[in-house]
Amino acid sequence: PWEAVDMARTERPARPEAADEDPAVRSVMSTHLVGIVPGASLQVALQLMVARHVRHLPVVDGPTDRRCHRMVAETDVLRGLVASRGPFGTASLHVDDVARTAGVVRPADRLSDAARVMHETSADAVLVEDRGELTGIVTAGDVVAAAARMPPTHR
């Protein structure tokens, strides 16, 4: 036997901060950032990614630059390396040649906002900025990991 329950009368909806099926970006972002300058070679970019275990590098103008609006992904570097060995010989490509404009979100934005920006920019990561300073990164892997921890809404 089962019992029908009027949820509206017996339970109150959870406060937004309690029922966090769409967490704030700050709760899932990585603050482990490794940047690269635009003039670095693609070989250096790939070596840096491998050594630091990252798949995305914010492109910064210098070691103290905390503002960033471009990023290079591992796939961009690999495509550039393959393209540099063309039918007319080899070309020396740099990060600046393959970097793309990065989507940007704020730490207080929702994870769904980050996923939407990734979709709109056809990228698998977005940069997180707070008051114009680079503070983190959210990748598609972070979105999937956060979704995997979410309780199912439909049975």
Side-chain angles (χ1 to χ4, degrees):
W2 59 276
E3 176 183 357
V5 177
D6 184 353
M7 297 289 275
R9 290 186 193 184
T10 61
E11 295 183 21
R12 294 184 185 156
R15 295 188 318 266
E17 60 271 14
D20 211 354
E21 292 183 8
D22 191 7
V25 164
R26 76 171 47 86
S27 69
V28 298
M29 73 181 194
S30 172
T31 57
H32 174 70
L33 295 168
V34 180
I36 193 161
V37 295
S41 71
L42 295 185
Q43 291 86 352
V44 167
L46 186 58
Q47 289 170 348
L48 183 60
M49 288 175 170
V50 170
R52 297 295 181 94
H53 306 285
V54 297
R55 292 182 39 236
H56 303 85
L57 299 171
V59 180
V60 296
D61 288 329
T64 59
D65 190 9
R66 297 296 292 172
R67 296 177 188 270
C68 179
H69 294 286
R70 295 185 345 146
M71 180 172 36
V72 63
E74 183 179 52
T75 54
D76 300 325
V77 172
L78 293 173
R79 284 186 187 125
L81 287 170
V82 169
S84 69
R85 288 159 177 74
F88 302 109
T90 58
S92 179
L93 294 178
H94 298 87
V95 167
D96 202 35
D97 297 317
V98 299
R100 52 173 110 175
T101 301
V104 177
V105 295
R106 296 179 310 265
D109 289 345
R110 308 315 285 180
L111 188 58
S112 61
D113 296 324
R116 180 184 44 76
V117 172
M118 284 182 213
H119 178 73
E120 290 171 354
T121 59
S122 298
D124 65 344
V126 293
L127 298 176
V128 183
E129 283 189 356
D130 189 16
R131 297 182 188 100
E133 283 195 14
L134 182 62
T135 59
I137 188 169
V138 176
T139 67
D142 297 326
V143 174
V144 171
R149 290 189 295 268
M150 290 181 189
T153 55
H154 302 288
R155 296 193 185 256

